Amino acid sequence: MKTPNTTTLLFVLFAVGNASAGTVTLFNNFGPGNTYLPDSGYDIGPSATLAVAQSFTPSVNSTLTSLILGVSQASPGSDGIVISLQTDSGANSPSGTILESFSASGLPIFGIASSLTTENSVLHPFLSAGTTYWLEVSPNSANTTAFWNFPFDWDFGTIWAPSTGTCLSCVRSAMSVTADTVPEPESIGMFTLGAMALFGLGIVKRHRSIL
C-alpha cells in the first residue's frame, strides 16, 4: 500500500485549515458603493437624543475586523463621537458592557459630504453566531453635535436611544460590520487528525531510515 507523501498531507492540512476561514460581512445596509444620505440621520449630542444604538446578529462565529459608519458633524470643530460595540441586555437594548470602543473626529459636514468613517478593530472581540450585539454612537463631549446618517434605501429594524427607549421597527442608520470567520469544531477536528497523520508519517519514515 502506497503511503501518502509529506507534500500531499501538507496540502490537505492547508486546505482543511482554510476551509472555514475568511472575511464575512455580518451587517451592511449602505447603498451601492457604501453610499448614504448626507443630509438625513439621527442627532448625536447633548441637546438631542444623546446616543443611538442599533442591533445586529451574526450568522457565523467570527471575530470583529472593522466597522464602517455613515456619520457627520454639524460644523467644523465639533467634538467627535464614541463608537462602542456592546452586548445585549436581554431586553432589546444595549447592556453597557463594552467589547471594544473607538473615538472618531474630523467627521464630514452634515448635508454636504458623505465620506465614510472606518474603524479597524484592535481587540478583535469574538462574536457568537445567533447572538445579538449593539453598535452605539454617543457624543465625545458636551460640545459634540453630530449625526448618524441614514442609508439611501431606508432600512427598518431595532434601535435604542436613552430618550425614547427601544423601537423594534425604526429606521436604522448606515453601518457595515466586517469580521473574520472562526473555524467550526468539525474543521478543527479534521485539522488535528491531519496533523497527527503527518506526525505519524514522520515517525514511520524515521523508523525505516533507522532500519
Side-chain angles (χ1 to χ4, degrees):
M1 181 177 178
K2 187 177 180 180
T3 303
N5 58 41
T6 304
T7 302
T8 301
L9 286 176
L10 283 173
F11 176 79
V12 171
L13 284 177
F14 178 82
V16 171
N18 287 276
S20 300
T23 301
V24 61
T25 299
L26 300 180
F27 183 93
N28 185 9
N29 62 356
F30 280 99
N34 280 347
T35 52
Y36 62 90
L37 295 172
D39 57 357
S40 182
Y42 290 116
D43 295 344
I44 306 296
S47 62
T49 54
L50 293 179
V52 173
Q54 57 192 43
S55 64
F56 69 96
T57 304
S59 58
V60 295
N61 290 334
S62 55
T63 56
L64 180 69
T65 56
S66 64
L67 304 171
I68 302 176
L69 281 78
V71 287
S72 55
Q73 60 183 343
S75 60
S78 172
D79 285 353
I81 57 173
V82 176
I83 305 163
S84 60
L85 174 66
Q86 302 184 27
T87 58
D88 183 67
S89 67
N92 279 326
S93 63
S95 67
T97 300
I98 297 175
L99 301 178
E100 188 169 13
S101 64
F102 313 85
S103 294
S105 58
L107 305 176
I109 302 303
F110 182 77
I112 299 176
S114 58
S115 59
L116 301 171
T117 297
T118 302
E119 300 293 340
N120 295 315
S121 176
V122 175
L123 302 179
H124 304 293
F126 177 77
L127 304 174
S128 179
T131 300
T132 298
Y133 297 92
W134 292 81
L135 203 62
E136 179 179 291
V137 176
S138 57
N140 194 33
S141 77
N143 296 320
T144 296
T145 304
F147 303 88
W148 193 356
N149 298 70
F150 298 139
F152 271 114
D153 295 323
W154 282 20
D155 171 47
F156 291 86
T158 303
I159 71 165
W160 174 89
S163 61
T164 59
T166 300
C167 176
L168 298 179
S169 185
C170 282
V171 180
R172 291 189 288 195
S173 296
M175 75 174 192
S176 175
V177 181
T178 304
D180 284 336
T181 56
V182 175
E184 298 298 326
E186 293 81 2
S187 298
I188 297 175
M190 292 178 64
F191 185 88
T192 301
L193 288 175
M196 291 172 64
L198 184 60
F199 179 73
L201 179 61
I203 292 177
V204 169
K205 285 188 173 182
R206 183 180 177 186
H207 180 68
R208 287 179 178 174
S209 63
I210 293 175
L211 294 179

